Amino acid sequence: MKKTYYLVFLLFTFCASQENKINGISFVASNTLTSQKEVIPVLETNANWVTLMPFAFMKSLQDTTIHFNSKRQWIGERKEGIEHASGIFHNNKIKIMLKPQIWIHRGFTGHIEMKTEKDWQTFEENYAQFILFYAAIAQEQNIELLCIGTELNSFVSQRPQFWNQLIQRIRKIYKGQLTYAENWDTYQNVPFFTKLDYIGIDAYFPLANEQTPSVELLEKEWNRHKSSMQSFAEKLKKKVLFTEYGYQSTDYTTHEPWNFSKEKKVNLVAQTNALTALYNEFWNEDWFAGGFLWKWFDANEQVGGENDSDYTVQNKPSLDVVKRFYK
């Protein structure tokens, strides 16, 4: 009888923990306004949050200009598209993280490096205008969480004073919660996480270098990273949020999860095992807030499937794993 009570207690504890988790989907903007038709498949995943991701563009790692909210962009990334999508998702009781981020065609944002102090100052003011533009939208639309940057390690490390001032400027405009999304290998270098509400990590941690790693192996592999994350969270007294996480449905998908390639052989089991292990290891941890699965496209019936090697779980066996853990 005692054993039965104990099992019931564990189940209750797990379910209570799940209710408080951010069970998120990274919703990719499109060239049309989001409608209820696109929202329904997201609801069916049991997600309670989505990320909206308006991209900005830089020509190079030394470019001081940031192009955003341009008429050349898809409407889903522009002001009207973000406002419309946020209304639709809120009407469906889905919370939102707004995650404006920079794209550089031939370069990694973590390596942004200005040539002179004058260039740094110009770039900083342009970046502030970019983030404050979306902070105002987030405030107007009652968006629950704003991500103030994504994978900008060099910028963050070299210009700490700017970031402290930027956070103060954002707080004057936006009254919701804040995070910042740092890459998996440099998140402990961010000096201002104590000023935010979550420790944001894009969680493409390297795990097993096997064609189809088992769930058990991957759970053991997570031990290399999990304890340091927990210690960091406890030291800062902030919860860890996976601002992005996911795996391609390919062979060796857990070896270098950040390394996207269309040339890899499709492996649906590897993706399913990788997600199962991640959920098993993190989703019942008190110091862990949840995360946003990368990524989800609006045309649900036309994407994913058994021949697809992308990160999306749409129309793949791994979708059932997401539904089960997000429920």
Side-chain angles (χ1 to χ4, degrees), residues 86-247:
S86 65
I88 291 282
F89 280 112
H90 277 156
N91 287 341
N92 284 276
K93 302 187 185 307
I94 299 289
K95 295 181 180 181
I96 298 166
M97 176 171 73
L98 185 59
K99 190 168 178 273
Q101 58 194 84
I102 294 173
W103 173 259
I104 303 172
H105 178 57
R106 293 182 178 178
F108 172 50
T109 51
H111 298 155
I112 288 173
E113 182 79 38
M114 297 300 119
K115 295 180 179 179
T116 66
E117 176 63 21
K118 183 179 179 180
D119 285 348
W120 268 121
Q121 292 178 5
T122 301
F123 175 67
E124 287 173 347
E125 187 51 39
N126 288 337
Y127 187 85
Q129 290 179 14
F130 164 55
I131 292 298
L132 293 173
F133 175 84
Y134 287 105
I137 294 175
Q139 179 64 24
E140 292 167 3
Q141 298 300 313
N142 296 312
I143 287 173
E144 290 81 0
L145 178 61
L146 174 66
C147 184
I148 67 172
T150 298
E151 298 177 7
L152 297 167
N153 182 60
S154 180
F155 183 14
V156 164
S157 299
Q158 295 188 53
R159 311 295 289 188
Q161 184 176 357
F162 163 77
W163 286 93
N164 290 330
Q165 293 172 347
L166 177 63
I167 292 166
Q168 292 176 7
R169 294 173 71 178
I170 293 170
R171 293 287 191 192
K172 291 179 180 179
I173 294 173
Y174 173 68
K175 305 308 178 184
Q177 294 186 307
L178 298 180
T179 190
Y180 164 79
E182 188 51 88
N183 207 31
W184 64 272
D185 58 341
T186 48
Y187 70 89
Q188 296 197 36
N189 299 340
V190 178
F192 53 79
F193 270 139
T194 54
K195 301 178 184 298
L196 307 181
D197 297 286
Y198 296 104
I199 299 166
I201 302 176
D202 285 356
Y204 302 109
F205 292 87
L207 301 173
N209 185 13
E210 291 197 5
Q211 184 175 1
T212 310
S214 68
V215 172
E216 293 75 19
L217 174 60
L218 292 172
E219 289 173 352
K220 292 179 182 178
E221 288 280 315
W222 269 116
N223 291 331
R224 291 191 283 136
H225 310 292
K226 186 177 176 182
S227 60
S228 59
M229 267 186 278
Q230 181 175 358
S231 297
F232 191 66
E234 292 173 349
K235 176 183 176 182
L236 270 58
K237 295 182 174 58
K238 304 286 181 180
K239 289 191 176 185
V240 168
L241 173 67
F242 284 173
T243 38
E244 291 179 22
Y245 73 90
Y247 302 91

Side-chain angles (χ1 to χ4, degrees), residues 265-315:
K265 183 180 177 182
V266 173
N267 186 332
L268 302 175
V269 175
Q271 183 185 50
T272 298
N273 288 354
L275 289 172
T276 300
L278 185 147
Y279 292 136
N280 284 346
E281 285 296 306
F282 289 94
W283 245 251
N284 200 36
E285 296 287 354
D286 290 337
W287 53 269
F288 180 76
F292 292 89
L293 179 64
W294 185 267
K295 54 190 175 174
W296 190 275
F297 298 96
D298 66 328
N300 183 59
E301 297 176 358
Q302 302 172 28
V303 298
E306 61 182 16
N307 297 316
D308 178 69
S309 65
D310 205 340
Y311 289 90
T312 183
V313 299
Q314 289 166 274
N315 303 303

